Amino acid sequence: MTSMHRSADLFRNAPLLGVTVVIVAIMGLCLTAGGAWLAVLGGSLYYLVAGLMLLLTAWLLARRRATALAVYAALLLGTIAWAIFEAGFDFWSLAPRGDVLAPLGVWLLLPFISGRLEPHLRAARWALGLVLIVAVGVLGVSLARDRHDIAGTIPEIGTTGAVAASESAPPGAGENWTAYGGTGLGTRYSSLGQITKANVKDLKLAWEFRTGDHKGPDDPDEITNQATPLKIGDLLYTCSPHQIVFVLDAASGKLRWKFDPQVQHNKAFQHMTCRGVSYHATKPGAVTADGAPAPGDCPERIFVPTNDGRMFALDAQTGAPCGSFGNHGQIDLKQGSEIQTLGFYEGTSPPVTTDKVLIVGGAVIDNYSDRVPSGVIRGFDIYSGRLIWAFDAGNPDPNEMPSASHHFTAASPNSWSISAVDENLGLVYVPLGSSSPDIWGGGRSPEKERYDSAMVALDIMTGKLRWSFQNVHHDLWDMDMPSQPSLVDLRSSNGVTPAIYIPAKTGDIFVLDRRDGHQLVPAPEKPVPQGAASGDRLAATQPFSDLSFRPRNMLTDAQMWGSTMFDQLACRIKFKRLRYEGPFTPPSEQGTLVFPGDFGMFEWGGIAIDPQRQIAIANPQSIPFVSRLVPRGKDNPAAPNATHPPGTELGVQPMYGAPYGVDLGIFLSPLGIPCLAPPWGNIAAIDLRTHKVVWQHRIGTIRDQAPLPLPFKLGVPMLGGPIVTAGGVIFITGTMDDYIRAFDVSDGKQLWQDRLPAGGQATPMTYQAGGKQYVVTVDGGHGSFGTKLGDYVRAYALP
């Protein structure tokens, strides 16, 4: 009988077996072809062998040979052994290696398949059955324990071995929440304790307010509401994506007043967001920076920066612009820069308010050109808006003021994130980004390199540099200092040390003495990969903090992931085709795997610090990026044109003024899921006495990202940080699934969660009003992050 007649007979007499043969053969062909490609690239031989064994299985099934079951049993057993060898007993790493083969093995044992095979070899059926039982056993073992989990316990205050509360601990927020990070120290700690580990499960929605500020047709994709509200007295202050200020009754959520700065909707803006507002109260007998008596208007004022480069000062009680400030209540932050293109300089984060000085940074458009506005940091008189000082990081004299003959340095390092302040020391701590363009440094001056991606401590009154610490030298990976630093006094038998904790995109947390910048936790310089693109250069070493969430070992193709073995194979091929030699592998035309990616293991949400317990709460994430330099050509011209407008941070970025553009993207499988195995997001506690991680757990599910609402706890990326309270409770909302969660500070166990109506990509806050503690979250979603957009401000309280 010919093979054609045999196939026709198979489909006529055993159609299910015939369909099975076709499916197994297609699987075998895909694995064989992809496996051969991976083998040529130096990857695992497993896929090639598995593909050949599937083809043999399909051939034997087509001939109705029962030995097909024995061959498949051998394949499945080999797959189990190989999977354990590569991934250990980690369920989510094992899953894509067996989630197709194991169900197919069950299918082959069903009577309408195995019953059609000859001769009726019981041994072959038993062999396959036993291997499937082994697979179930491996599944059970892998589910019993998460090998990425760190279990530990922080002693309660007052127990043996615990840190006792001390009057020397820095104050946290309490009844009020007066600054983005609770206070200017940026600890995100509240001394309130009405909500405790015992009763947090009883939290209910107390009130909900909707701003009505939604994405319009002329807005960029990167529209977000990342605001952490402030609470002073009986009022709650927040803002929406178009920087509209909303002031609510703190107890009821009812609107008291709002202010709309009339920001233009413009797709060319790279961002449309508001992270919050700032507050200042005039003290009795206060004077201006010039020594004159403080003006009588606006004894309490709210400052809001806008994405079109303005700063407003508003009366905190009425919302009326403060007439004594600037030009009828506003100043133009684009002044002093030669380039003033709308949207190229954006105020996205709240400024620092001190007794006399308003300290302002801003976001400069990423990777568009070397001819963009300056990232200068400026100090203004907090009452009049008069420019007092400047710190222009790209200028040989960073304190040079603008004049008729001098503009601030174009494309100098900027500070788009939130600063922290210690008024007792007279210092403001400013996290700086990199010079533009971010991914090419061949044309950077030594002055632009000095403070690139650094933390600078500036004198509040003069703007003069007190000290600096650079987290990445000659940054080609967009490794800005992304987070507000946290200031805490460390207590030990040797006394009290004023420290600053600096989370970095690299996953490092640098710990310095905030008086002079010397290291409290070692961050030695270590050699890094070399081989820059033509015309660029590289630093020979980079700092690696001993306190870090960066993986200690290099990635391997065994860590590549997928929902099935097929997209996992595609990810392994992509990985092997990219240039990757560990952290700080330089950008290349080949394409470079950047891990940690420029999304950052830490972002603007920062960490939370409990100064009483002497612990820090962190939420690191792990998402690789791909950076590919694109030579100039028809699709990547050397000068701006209408086909390459600004307005995005992903895809091909033009980097005008450099010999390359850059194609940036997340390292994803063909199905659009991360190629790196989870967890992609964790929550962890650090003991500040030892600087060791005490506990760490996955956080977040794929419910709102998967095609079906599956509550699988893989640990997902986040935008937004945690807060911690004296009641021993951690709150966080930033995960890609729409939840607010509460955790036990002692061991990290989840105590409570509630469903949010939109993405909670913001840091929550807490306060007291009318004798009741509230927890407030802003749920506006995030355009490029892919979470549901909304316009919600929600408050929770105990019944």
Side-chain angles (χ1 to χ4, degrees):
M1 181 182 294
T2 67
S3 58
M4 186 175 296
H5 286 110
R6 187 182 292 114
S7 298
D9 181 60
L10 178 65
F11 276 96
R12 183 170 56 252
N13 298 326
L16 288 178
L17 179 58
V19 171
T20 301
V21 169
V22 172
I23 291 173
V24 173
I26 292 172
M27 289 171 54
L29 288 171
C30 291
L31 288 182
T32 300
W37 191 1
L38 181 61
V40 169
L41 294 171
S44 172
L45 295 173
Y46 163 79
Y47 295 92
L48 175 59
V49 174
L52 294 173
M53 292 186 74
L54 281 173
L55 289 175
L56 177 58
T57 300
W59 182 76
L60 291 171
L61 287 173
R63 298 179 68 85
R64 298 194 182 187
R65 301 292 182 132
T67 48
L69 302 182
V71 171
Y72 195 81
L75 168 60
L76 193 56
L77 184 62
T79 299
I80 293 170
W82 165 78
I84 294 173
F85 171 77
E86 277 205 332
F89 289 95
D90 176 45
F91 173 78
W92 291 112
S93 294
L94 292 174
R97 292 166 165 88
D99 60 3
V100 172
L101 293 182
L104 180 58
V106 174
W107 174 263
L108 293 178
L109 279 181
L110 295 177
F112 46 78
I113 301 296
S114 62
R116 296 284 186 170
L117 305 179
E118 299 174 354
H120 298 291
L121 296 177
R122 296 180 61 186
R125 294 183 179 84
W126 274 104
L128 181 52
L130 288 173
V131 172
L132 287 170
I133 292 172
V134 170
V136 172
V138 169
L139 176 67
V141 171
S142 67
L143 285 171
R145 183 182 178 277
D146 184 351
R147 71 184 181 96
H148 295 280
D149 191 85
I150 299 174
T153 303
I154 294 167
E156 293 291 337
I157 293 177
T159 62
T160 302
V163 177
S166 167
E167 292 181 0
S168 66
E175 180 178 341
N176 293 321
W177 189 279
T178 59
Y180 175 85
T183 68
L185 301 174
T187 58
R188 280 161 282 281
Y189 169 76
S190 171
S191 61
L192 297 179
Q194 186 180 93
I195 298 171
T196 67
K197 294 183 283 187
N199 63 23
V200 66
K201 66 182 185 300
D202 299 322
L203 282 180
K204 303 294 182 186
L205 184 67
W207 55 258
E208 177 180 281
F209 176 80
R210 301 194 66 174
T211 67
D213 187 8
H214 298 281
K215 180 181 179 181
D218 295 323
D219 281 322
D221 291 336
E222 184 81 355
I223 186 167
T224 66
N225 194 350
Q226 301 171 354
T228 296
L230 308 185
K231 186 267 184 181
I232 298 96
D234 61 351
L235 296 180
L236 188 80
Y237 299 87
T238 190
C239 56
S240 62
H242 295 97
Q243 297 92 63
I244 303 171
V245 179
F246 294 87
V247 180
L248 314 177
D249 183 281
S252 67
K254 295 187 181 302
L255 181 68
R256 290 283 191 90
W257 59 261
K258 77 173 186 177
F259 173 81
D260 187 349
Q262 300 293 322
V263 173
Q264 175 184 337
H265 296 216
N266 191 329
K267 282 186 177 295
F269 281 33
Q270 203 164 64
H271 306 272
M272 187 61 70
T273 192
C274 189
R275 293 195 181 95
V277 300
S278 298
Y279 170 81
H280 177 267
T282 303
K283 297 176 182 178
V287 296
T288 68
D290 294 327
D297 68 329
C298 298
E300 294 178 279
R301 53 186 64 194
I302 292 295
F303 294 95
V304 58
T306 64
N307 289 179
D308 56 8
R310 294 175 290 163
M311 177 70 70
F312 285 86
L314 310 173
D315 187 295
Q317 295 301 316
T318 67
C322 300
S324 61
F325 183 84
N327 182 14
H328 303 293
Q330 65 174 292
I331 55 177
D332 185 355
L333 298 176
K334 298 185 294 298
Q335 286 188 356
S337 284
E338 181 182 357
I339 297 97
Q340 299 191 8
T341 306
L342 198 64
F344 277 25
Y345 181 95
E346 300 185 63
T348 57
S349 296
V352 169
T353 58
T354 68
D355 191 28
K356 299 176 182 176
V357 183
L358 179 72
I359 300 161
V360 179
V364 174
I365 187 169
D366 271 345
N367 287 316
Y368 185 70
S369 171
D370 61 351
R371 296 294 298 162
V372 294
S374 174
V376 60
I377 313 303
R378 284 166 285 186
F380 298 91
D381 185 301
I382 205 158
Y383 298 105
S384 69
R386 181 181 65 84
L387 181 63
I388 301 172
W389 57 256
F391 183 83
D392 183 0
N395 190 330
D397 175 9
N399 298 119
E400 184 178 3
M401 297 287 274
S403 65
S405 60
H406 170 71
H407 290 102
F408 292 128
T409 309
S412 61
N414 66 88
S415 181
W416 55 266
S417 191
I418 305 100
S419 299
V421 64
D422 184 338
E423 291 196 68
N424 291 328
L425 291 177
L427 293 177
V428 60
Y429 303 91
V430 183
L432 293 180
S434 57
S435 302
S436 188
D438 300 56
I439 314 299
W440 173 261
R444 290 182 197 155
S445 67
E447 289 77 23
K448 285 185 178 179
E449 294 273 58
R450 265 183 318 184
Y451 308 119
D452 193 81
S453 299
M455 178 65 62
V456 293
L458 307 179
D459 185 283
I460 289 173
M461 294 305 299
T462 66
K464 291 188 179 299
L465 180 73
R466 190 77 63 86
W467 59 260
S468 69
F469 176 82
Q470 191 169 57
N471 109 101
V472 175
H473 312 314
H474 193 67
D475 183 6
L476 303 177
W477 304 271
D478 195 16
M479 292 295 160
D480 305 335
M481 286 301 222
S483 304
Q484 180 184 34
S486 296
L487 313 184
V488 63
D489 289 348
L490 298 180
R491 304 188 301 274
S492 70
S493 58
N494 296 323
V496 176
T497 303
I500 179 171
Y501 283 74
I502 308 169
K505 284 187 177 183
T506 58
D508 288 330
I509 299 177
F510 297 101
V511 187
L512 312 176
D513 187 313
R514 67 177 183 266
R515 294 170 295 189
D516 56 17
H518 81 263
Q519 295 177 16
L520 299 177
V521 172
E525 296 279 338
K526 297 181 181 180
V528 292
Q530 297 297 295
S534 177
D536 210 335
R537 58 190 183 278
L538 293 168
T541 62
Q542 297 287 356
F544 287 75
S545 177
D546 284 357
L547 176 55
S548 183
F549 289 90
R550 184 200 329 243
R552 298 296 179 185
N553 299 318
M554 287 178 54
L555 296 180
T556 68
D557 61 334
Q559 293 168 273
M560 298 303 105
W561 201 67
S563 59
T564 68
M565 63 193 308
F566 300 102
D567 53 319
Q568 183 185 42
L569 171 58
C571 282
R572 293 177 87 133
I573 291 171
K574 287 180 67 174
F575 175 78
K576 283 293 186 180
R577 295 184 69 197
L578 293 169
R579 182 179 179 186
Y580 175 70
E581 298 153 32
F584 303 108
T585 302
S588 62
E589 293 184 50
Q590 171 186 348
T592 292
L593 184 69
V594 181
F595 182 72
D598 58 5
F599 187 72
M601 292 198 83
F602 291 105
E603 257 291 344
W604 43 264
I607 61 176
I609 289 185
D610 184 333
Q612 303 294 327
R613 294 179 175 86
Q614 294 274 282
I615 61 166
I617 305 300
N619 57 322
Q621 53 197 340
S622 304
I623 298 291
F625 264 56
V626 175
S627 172
R628 184 175 63 87
L629 295 176
V630 182
R632 295 296 174 204
K634 179 181 177 182
D635 296 325
N636 183 32
N641 61 43
T643 62
H644 287 77
T648 179
E649 288 186 292
L650 295 176
V652 177
Q653 311 287 292
M655 297 206 302
Y656 299 122
Y660 297 93
V662 63
D663 189 358
L664 294 173
I666 303 172
F667 186 38
L668 298 176
S669 81
L671 299 182
I673 61 177
C675 272
L676 179 66
W680 305 304
N682 290 289
I683 187 166
I686 303 160
D687 188 328
L688 301 188
R689 296 164 297 170
T690 63
H691 291 109
K692 303 296 183 186
V693 175
V694 179
W695 54 256
Q696 179 171 301
H697 312 303
R698 299 174 192 251
I699 180 173
T701 72
I702 59 170
R703 169 176 174 158
D704 295 305
Q705 301 300 316
L708 299 174
L710 303 172
F712 294 156
K713 187 178 177 181
L714 274 69
V716 298
M718 292 158 279
L719 282 173
I723 65 171
V724 62
T725 71
V729 183
I730 302 159
F731 292 98
I732 191 168
T733 64
T735 53
M736 292 188 80
D737 57 349
D738 303 335
Y739 284 97
I740 179 174
R741 292 181 170 91
F743 296 88
D744 188 329
V745 73
S746 299
D747 56 15
K749 290 182 180 176
Q750 185 171 310
L751 302 172
W752 169 82
Q753 69 177 23
D754 191 48
R755 190 87 172 126
L756 299 176
Q761 280 66 59
T763 302
M765 51 83 74
T766 185
Y767 61 89
Q768 185 171 295
K772 180 177 288 190
Q773 184 180 354
Y774 293 82
V775 177
V776 168
T777 174
V778 172
D779 310 316
H782 195 288
S784 63
F785 202 53
T787 55
K788 182 181 177 182
L789 299 181
D791 65 335
Y792 300 87
V793 183
R794 290 159 60 91
Y796 292 88
L798 295 172

